[in-house]
Amino acid sequence: MRILVVEDEQLLADAVAKWLRGDAHAVDVVHDGGTATERIMVNDYDVVVLDRDLPVLHGDEVCRRMVADGSPARVLMLTAATEVGDRVAGFALGADDYLPKPFAFEELSARVVALGRRGGPTAPPVLQRAGIRLDPHRREVYRDGRYVPLSRKEFAVLAELLRADGAAVSAEKLLEKAWDENADPFTNAVRIAVLKLRRKLGDPAVVVTEPGVGYRIP
C-alpha cells in the first residue's frame, strides 16, 4: 500500500516508516499538517497515519479537509490523549481508526492493513492465483507448494498483481504502490523487479507483459 505518515516527532515518524516499509509498504513522511495536506492532494494514498497535535495545521483540520475534498484515503489518527471524548472527537471529524500513544508497532501495522482492506474491494487475507499463494501477514509466498523468497519490493509488486485478479497493472501504478515519492518516474525499477520476480517464481513464466499497458497474472 501507499502510506503517508504525518508525525512531528521525527524519531517516531522515522521508526513508524521503517516498520511499515518492513511490511513491504511504500511510505512517505512529513512533519506538519500543511505539508500533509499538500501531499494528500497530489498523491494517491491508501492510508494516512495522522498525528493529531501537529504544527502549521492541526491534525483535526487535516482530517476535516480530507473529508471535505472527498479523499479516499483511510485515516488512522494518533494522539497522546487517552480520554474517550478525544477519541469520539477524532471519529466525528472523519477518522477511520484511533490509536493512543504509546503504541506497539505490531498493533499499528495490523490496524493499517485492516484500513487498507476497508479502502477498496474486499480482498481475501491470503491471495492465490496461478499456483501462487501470498500471505500478506506472514510475508510468505509459495508457488505450487515451493517457498519463494522475495525482497520487499518484489513482494509488494506481486501482491498488487495478485490483487488485480487477472487485470493488467501499469508500471506507473506499481511504482506508486511499491515505492515512495522519491522514486524516479523514469526509472527501470519496476521492469527490473518484474524480471527478478519471474526468475524467482520459476517456469512456466506466470507474469505476462501487456505491451503499452502493464503486467498481469492471467
Side-chain angles (χ1 to χ4, degrees):
M1 291 187 294
R2 183 79 180 272
I3 300 168
L4 177 65
V5 174
V6 190
E7 169 60 61
D8 63 326
E9 296 181 30
Q10 185 169 343
L11 291 178
L12 178 58
D14 291 344
V16 169
K18 182 178 180 180
W19 184 274
L20 293 174
R21 286 170 183 148
D23 287 339
H25 301 301
V27 183
D28 298 333
V29 178
V30 297
H31 303 294
D32 67 81
T35 305
T37 299
E38 294 172 1
R39 298 292 175 84
I40 293 165
M41 291 176 62
V42 172
N43 298 316
D44 181 20
Y45 293 109
D46 298 291
V47 177
V48 176
V49 179
L50 179 66
D51 184 35
R52 194 172 186 190
D53 189 15
L54 291 170
V56 182
L57 193 67
H58 196 274
D60 288 358
E61 183 59 25
V62 174
C63 190
R64 188 180 293 111
R65 293 188 184 186
M66 288 178 65
V67 172
D69 293 340
S71 171
R74 299 293 181 173
V75 176
L76 173 58
M77 188 169 279
L78 307 177
T79 182
T82 58
E83 296 297 326
V84 173
D86 293 307
R87 295 197 294 272
V88 171
F91 287 127
L93 290 166
D96 298 281
D97 200 358
Y98 197 101
L99 188 60
K101 299 177 182 179
F103 52 81
F105 287 131
E106 292 89 344
E107 181 178 4
L108 171 73
S109 181
R111 288 174 181 264
V112 165
V113 170
L115 288 177
R117 287 201 301 265
R118 209 185 297 173
T122 301
V126 175
L127 303 172
Q128 300 188 68
R129 189 177 186 85
I132 300 171
R133 183 179 187 277
L134 181 149
D135 188 328
H137 302 292
R138 295 178 181 271
R139 286 205 69 248
E140 293 178 346
V141 173
Y142 291 85
R143 178 161 191 203
D144 297 327
R146 174 180 63 88
Y147 175 70
V148 182
L150 298 179
S151 71
R152 289 197 297 268
K153 297 303 183 189
E154 293 159 0
F155 186 93
V157 168
L158 180 59
E160 289 301 319
L161 292 174
L162 290 173
R163 289 190 184 105
D165 198 26
V169 183
S170 68
E172 292 79 12
K173 186 69 171 180
L174 292 173
L175 190 68
E176 175 185 305
K177 292 297 184 181
W179 281 261
D180 59 28
E181 65 182 357
N182 297 314
D184 182 350
F186 301 104
T187 183
N188 288 322
V190 173
R191 183 179 64 83
I192 293 170
V194 170
L195 288 174
K196 290 181 177 179
L197 191 57
R198 284 177 174 146
R199 184 172 68 248
K200 291 183 178 181
L201 289 172
D203 294 325
V206 70
V207 181
V208 175
T209 301
E210 296 284 352
V213 180
Y215 306 93
R216 69 185 182 94
I217 298 178

